[in-house]
Amino acid sequence: MPAFSASAPGKIILFGEHAVVYGRPAIAVPVLQVRAKAIVTFDPRSTPGLVKLLAPDIGLETTLSELPENHPLAAVLWKAASTMNLSHIPACTIQVSSNIPIAGGMGSGAAVSVAILRAFSASLGHLLTDEQVSQLAYEVEVIHHGIPSGIDNSVITYARPVYFVKGKPIETLQVKRPFSLVIGDTGIQSSTSSVVGDVRQAWEKASDHFEGLFDKVGEIAASGRKSIESGSIETLGPMMDENHDLLRKMGVSSSELDMLVDVARSAGALGAKLSGAGRGGNMIALVSPENSGAVSKALEQAGATHTITTEVRET
Ligand code: PMV
């Protein structure tokens, strides 16, 4: 039976979450240790037109015709079909699996979309371009999240560190010297759309204050880019601390995130911050090769449900 598979990595935001929604720059990097995978198989004996969807991680076993059109797995296929000018979706089975934590700020939804788009388009001999994949994954994100900045679909499609400004062409980063991050999961699921919605309400009430916070975050992202491109990795730590402080001022941290950030710093991290929408999900800590083990152990002892150590480099 012919089978076509594709996978896409998770991601974390190094600098600039939330402010990026308001036009400031942000930096995101892929996390290659976690991935979403899609496999499309064709069985010549299957019922014509029957598209089966299997996603055992979320207990889903269904057919395309049974899903509402705006279900993310259905939407991604309909959008791909329309971009490829298909009059119908041929009978096939699409299996989706992922070890990216769900609702943890690591881009699980975008990674599933990107993996499906690539496997599905390859199966039809019509590979979508990176630009098309990123755009379609963005359109699916819009269904879940309202007004996403587009950073998740971009970093996950290109699987490279990116400097991102909403509405501008994507820029990939030159990483002069690789560096390591420990990612610690609070284990608390957080809805990006509701945190983004809360920030919007707070911004509407105190726009000058929030614009000031966003400006400072944007400056950090711009300086962070220079540090990454010139290899002055040590300067990233204090920038992460300052970015975390600004996120706290926006009201998107939580006692669990603050606690893990403090634990990482006490265990020797060069800097730490929450990553993603906040309120739950993950935090990140900048570590040296000597202390990465101690930092991840301290995070786990303090209650992180799991940790990932990842190296940021040009891929
Ligand atoms: O999907 P998350 O949790 O990594 O959050 C995305 C980052 C935000 O800036 C909060 C939202 C966005 O669309 O950029």
Side-chain angles (χ1 to χ4, degrees):
M1 234 177 344
F4 299 84
S5 72
S7 71
K11 72 100 205 351
I12 53 96
I13 297 181
L14 190 56
F15 296 116
E17 48 276 271
H18 290 291
V20 69
V21 176
Y22 298 81
R24 275 41 164 215
I27 294 178
V29 301
V31 178
L32 305 176
Q33 289 93 334
V34 286
R35 298 192 83 82
K37 186 172 179 193
I39 305 174
V40 178
T41 45
F42 295 97
D43 181 349
R45 295 160 303 176
S46 70
T47 315
L50 185 71
V51 178
K52 285 194 210 158
L53 285 160
L54 310 176
D57 300 328
I58 53 166
L60 184 113
E61 185 174 340
T62 187
T63 61
L64 182 59
S65 57
E66 276 167 331
L67 285 180
E69 270 191 31
N70 66 355
H71 184 285
L73 296 183
V76 75
L77 288 170
W78 291 123
K79 285 179 185 299
S82 133
T83 302
M84 293 189 272
N85 292 321
L86 297 181
S87 56
H88 69 286
I89 297 182
C92 61
T93 298
I94 302 176
Q95 292 177 66
V96 181
S97 58
S98 167
N99 60 356
I100 306 173
I102 294 174
M106 290 191 70
S108 62
V112 165
S113 294
V114 168
I116 293 178
L117 287 163
R118 292 217 168 108
F120 180 64
S121 62
S123 77
L124 298 171
H126 178 147
L127 260 189
L128 293 168
T129 63
D130 286 345
E131 217 174 326
Q132 286 173 318
V133 167
S134 187
Q135 172 61 26
L136 295 175
Y138 175 77
E139 290 173 19
V140 177
E141 294 272 288
V142 169
I143 302 174
H144 310 286
H145 297 315
I147 39 151
S149 62
I151 193 168
D152 278 23
N153 50 284
S154 302
V155 63
I156 288 168
T157 299
Y158 293 92
R160 294 181 64 185
V162 297
Y163 185 79
F164 179 86
V165 181
K166 190 174 160 180
K168 297 241 170 90
I170 188 84
E171 290 181 69
T172 52
L173 279 181
Q174 312 297 315
V175 182
K176 179 111 188 257
R177 255 173 65 205
F179 56 95
S180 293
L181 298 170
V182 173
I183 306 167
D185 193 345
T186 60
I188 300 165
Q189 295 199 348
S190 164
S191 149
T192 298
S193 60
S194 78
V195 188
V196 169
D198 288 352
V199 172
R200 179 147 306 257
Q201 275 185 9
W203 171 78
E204 278 164 3
K205 286 197 194 114
S207 60
D208 286 353
H209 174 61
F210 272 78
E211 288 292 327
L213 298 175
F214 298 152
D215 281 343
K216 286 186 185 149
V217 171
E219 284 160 22
I220 294 174
S223 312
R225 174 191 196 156
K226 287 191 190 129
S227 296
I228 293 169
E229 294 194 327
S230 65
S232 352
I233 301 310
E234 316 67 43
T235 57
L236 295 174
M239 290 181 201
M240 289 168 72
D241 292 342
E242 202 186 329
N243 195 163
H244 183 72
D245 206 40
L246 292 162
L247 288 160
R248 288 188 54 169
K249 290 185 178 146
M250 289 176 209
V252 300
S253 193
S254 67
S255 51
E256 294 83 0
L257 284 164
D258 288 343
M259 184 268 292
L260 292 181
V261 161
D262 285 343
V263 164
R265 290 177 188 151
S266 305
L270 306 169
K273 65 181 275 290
L274 72 84
S275 179
R279 299 267 164 82
N282 285 277
M283 49 72 65
I284 54 174
L286 179 69
V287 294
S288 63
E290 296 75 43
N291 66 20
S292 72
V295 171
S296 59
K297 198 166 158 206
L299 288 170
E300 280 165 19
Q301 278 169 352
T305 50
H306 70 285
T307 59
I308 299 169
T309 303
T310 189
E311 193 179 45
V312 180
R313 55 165 61 247
E314 265 170 78
T315 41

